[in-house]
């Protein structure tokens, strides 16, 4: 986007973290905490960032990197960068029709975007904005609603289905509740004041939504429209989910003929099982530190996951999310063996700051950082990063290194 047409809000945005600082001022505390927060004591939220400090990149010189490109092949598609946009629930509460803005920006930048199953925008509307988008589903607990949901995703036109498997037992939401955010959303004086004290968000997001489309509903949890977000029935699924096992996945695999990806895996054996039961790819993820507090970073688990897959059968694409904020973070994950990276909260905050233009700016910032770092470590192509450890480019920051 040309600098002369860039929104003024982006003039002082130089990194992904800058978006979060601006978004925090613009959003009501309840909405901000929903987007930014983690569970319980937020150990895993902090672990997702801390792990990147434990791996260092050693520059290589005099290696002619003038031909470098960060274009990346995934599932036969050449994307413009080695990263995409994570599924993020209730994005339209943070930015007006947030899912559509994310989808349009992803299509314009040519990176994959995953539509959330807890979006308040119909999956069909997001697909109309970006026919290359993927759809992420939280499986209903009862089988009677599972297959109709899959059929709806098919009918909408999606070719890639992402099943999230780390939410079958609900996480603690105490930090969100302290901030005033609950599901269902319960009107209160403090919540009203939270909105009134952020008039920009109140007018441009909440009231604009009410006037144009009415009270937001959970649109994509089932084959039919869900309840309004303020309804007592506005939970993803009344039926328990803790009984589900891999047979549910196999049932969907038999029906779904497109690409099928499993998200929310950390244990190497679960990744192997997913592949052996027909997954086309996996996303190693701890749900952005929003589920089990105290679980390891997905980046920390990458070497074990890849070793388990390579030692037991064919290699499928291994993607990863959680805590990515810099191009060097992306390079480190790819050098550890990941095929692709997904980024969540920063794109949501960019959407808050400047809508589609903000998301495009965030993608450009991150791509530029990846491009720069790729040259500094001495490679011309993303695929070459598989040799980074053998070339002495990637170091684990042990005690001796930390003392330097």
């Amino acid at each position: 986007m040309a600098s002369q047409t860039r929104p003024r809000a982006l003039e002082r945005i130089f990194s992904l973290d800058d978006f979060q600082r601006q978004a925090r001022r613009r959003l009501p505390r309840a909405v901000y905490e929903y987007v930014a927060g983690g569970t319980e004591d937020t150990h895993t939220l902090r672990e997702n960032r801390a792990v990147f400090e434990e791996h260092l990149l050693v520059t290589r010189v005099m290696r002619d990197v003038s031909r470098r490109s960060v274009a990346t092949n995934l599932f036969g598609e050449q994307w413009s960068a080695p990263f995409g946009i994570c599924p993020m629930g209730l994005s339209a509460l943070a930015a007006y029709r947030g899912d559509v803005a994310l989808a349009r920006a992803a299509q314009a930048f040519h990176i994959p975007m995953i539509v959330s199953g807890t979006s308040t925008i119909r999956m069909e509307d997001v697909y109309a904005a970006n026919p290359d988008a993927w759809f992420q589903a939280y499986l209903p607990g009862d089988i009677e609603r599972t297959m109709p949901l899959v059929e709806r995703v098919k009918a909408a036109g999606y070719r890639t289905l992402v099943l999230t498997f780390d939410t079958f037992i609900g996480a603690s939401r105490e930090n969100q509740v302290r901030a005033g955010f609950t599901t269902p959303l319960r009107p209160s004086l403090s919540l009203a004041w939270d909105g009134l004290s952020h008039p920009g968000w109140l007018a441009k997001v909440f009231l604009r939504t009410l006037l144009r489309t009415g009270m937001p509903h959970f649109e994509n949890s089932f084959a039919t429209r869900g309840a309004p977000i303020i309804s007592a029935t506005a939970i993803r699924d009344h039926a328990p989910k803790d009984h589900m096992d891999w047979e549910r996945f196999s049932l969907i695999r038999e029906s779904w003929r497109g690409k099928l990806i499993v998200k929310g895996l950390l244990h190497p054996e679960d990744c192997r099982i997913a592949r052996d039961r027909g997954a086309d790819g996996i996303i190693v993820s701890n749900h952005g530190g929003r589920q089990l507090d105290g679980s390891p970073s997905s980046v920390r688990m990458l070497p074990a996951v890849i070793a388990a897959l390579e030692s037991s059968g064919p290699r499928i694409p291994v993607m990863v999310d959680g805590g990515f904020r810099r191009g060097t973070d992306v390079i480190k994950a790819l050098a550890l063996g990941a095929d692709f990276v997904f980024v969540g909260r920063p794109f949501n905050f960019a959407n808050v700051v400047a809508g589609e233009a903000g998301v495009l700016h965030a993608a450009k910032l991150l791509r530029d950082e990846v491009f720069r770092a790729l040259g500094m470590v001495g490679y011309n192509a993303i695929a070459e990063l598989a040799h980074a450890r053998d070339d002495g480019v990637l170091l684990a920051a042990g005690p001796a290194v930390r003392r330097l």
Side-chain angles (χ1 to χ4, degrees):
M1 180 174 294
S3 59
Q4 62 265 27
T5 62
R6 181 181 300 170
R8 291 186 61 186
L10 300 177
E11 290 178 358
R12 301 298 298 173
I13 298 288
F14 304 110
S15 72
L16 296 190
D17 280 341
D18 289 341
F19 284 110
Q20 182 164 353
R21 283 185 280 270
Q22 282 206 23
R24 185 168 194 167
R25 294 195 295 268
R26 294 166 182 249
L27 290 174
R29 177 171 174 251
V31 177
Y32 176 82
E33 179 59 36
Y34 172 78
V35 176
T39 57
E40 296 181 351
D41 298 314
T42 68
H43 292 303
T44 297
L45 190 66
R46 296 193 300 275
E47 150 82 350
N48 283 352
R49 289 298 302 141
V51 70
F52 293 109
E53 298 180 10
E54 299 178 19
H55 294 88
L56 306 178
L57 295 170
V58 181
T59 57
R60 298 296 306 272
V61 300
M62 303 297 285
R63 285 166 63 111
D64 186 4
V65 291
S66 61
R67 296 171 288 105
R68 69 190 183 279
S69 168
V70 297
T72 305
N73 188 280
L74 181 68
F75 296 123
E77 179 77 22
Q78 190 83 349
W79 303 100
S80 69
F83 57 81
I85 301 178
C86 282
M88 292 175 283
L90 300 180
S91 293
L93 273 188
Y96 179 70
R97 292 187 68 78
D99 306 84
V100 172
L102 289 166
R104 287 176 175 162
Q107 184 181 49
F109 205 77
H110 196 54
I111 55 176
M113 177 264 186
I114 310 176
V115 184
S116 173
T118 52
S119 170
T120 56
I121 307 293
R122 295 173 66 248
M123 66 173 78
E124 293 82 1
D125 295 342
V126 184
Y127 178 83
N130 182 352
D132 293 323
W134 305 356
F135 183 80
Q136 173 258 342
Y138 295 101
L139 294 183
D142 49 341
I143 192 65
E144 292 79 10
R145 288 193 285 185
T146 297
M147 299 317 294
L149 173 60
V150 173
E151 291 302 318
R152 179 186 171 192
V153 178
K154 283 185 196 176
Y158 289 92
R159 302 182 299 276
T160 301
L161 176 61
V162 181
L163 301 178
T164 293
F165 280 179
D166 60 353
T167 58
F168 293 167
I169 295 176
S172 165
R173 293 289 183 255
E174 63 190 69
N175 296 326
Q176 293 177 19
V177 174
R178 289 190 184 101
F181 192 97
T182 60
T183 303
L185 201 59
R186 298 186 182 92
S188 66
L189 289 176
S190 61
L191 195 62
W193 173 248
D194 202 8
L196 290 170
S197 60
H198 294 82
W201 173 87
L202 184 66
K204 295 177 182 178
V205 180
F206 188 67
L207 293 179
R208 187 180 178 191
T209 298
L210 286 181
L211 288 172
R212 296 198 174 188
T213 58
M215 181 61 65
H217 287 59
F218 287 102
E219 296 285 358
N220 302 318
S221 298
F222 311 112
T224 56
R225 191 184 199 196
I229 61 172
I230 62 171
S231 169
T233 60
I235 57 176
R236 295 174 189 171
D237 187 4
H238 288 287
K241 298 184 179 184
D242 55 2
H243 64 285
M244 286 199 285
D245 58 23
W246 284 103
E247 292 305 316
R248 183 69 62 92
F249 171 78
S250 294
L251 181 66
I252 296 170
R253 176 72 281 183
E254 290 176 6
S255 172
W256 182 264
R257 293 295 173 245
K259 288 289 185 291
L260 188 58
I261 297 168
V262 178
K263 180 180 181 295
L265 305 181
L266 285 176
H267 198 289
E269 180 65 7
D270 287 340
C271 297
R272 186 196 63 76
I273 293 170
R275 179 204 58 197
D276 292 349
R277 284 185 174 258
D280 295 300
I282 59 172
I283 301 179
V284 184
S285 174
N286 60 30
H287 215 92
R290 297 166 74 88
Q291 283 297 111
L292 176 63
D293 194 33
S295 62
S297 159
S298 49
V299 171
R300 192 180 300 282
M301 295 305 299
L302 267 177
V305 166
I306 291 164
L309 292 175
E310 291 182 343
S311 66
S312 61
R315 174 79 147 78
I316 60 174
V318 175
M319 297 154 279
V320 63
D321 67 20
F324 290 88
R325 297 295 182 272
R326 287 285 187 182
T328 48
D329 300 340
V330 175
I331 293 290
K332 290 172 184 179
L334 298 173
L336 285 168
D339 296 290
F340 209 79
V341 166
F342 280 92
V343 181
R345 291 177 177 95
F347 286 120
N348 209 338
F349 292 132
N351 207 2
V352 170
V353 172
E356 183 179 338
V359 179
L360 283 167
H361 187 56
K364 184 180 184 303
L365 286 174
L366 189 57
R367 184 177 64 181
D368 288 350
E369 289 183 358
V370 173
F371 183 76
R372 185 164 52 245
L374 184 66
M376 287 181 175
V377 296
Y379 295 107
N380 278 300
I382 293 298
E384 296 174 0
L385 285 169
H387 306 294
R389 186 178 289 276
D390 293 339
D391 285 352
V393 166
L394 184 67
L395 291 179
V401 174
R402 291 195 187 101
R403 285 197 295 270
L404 293 179

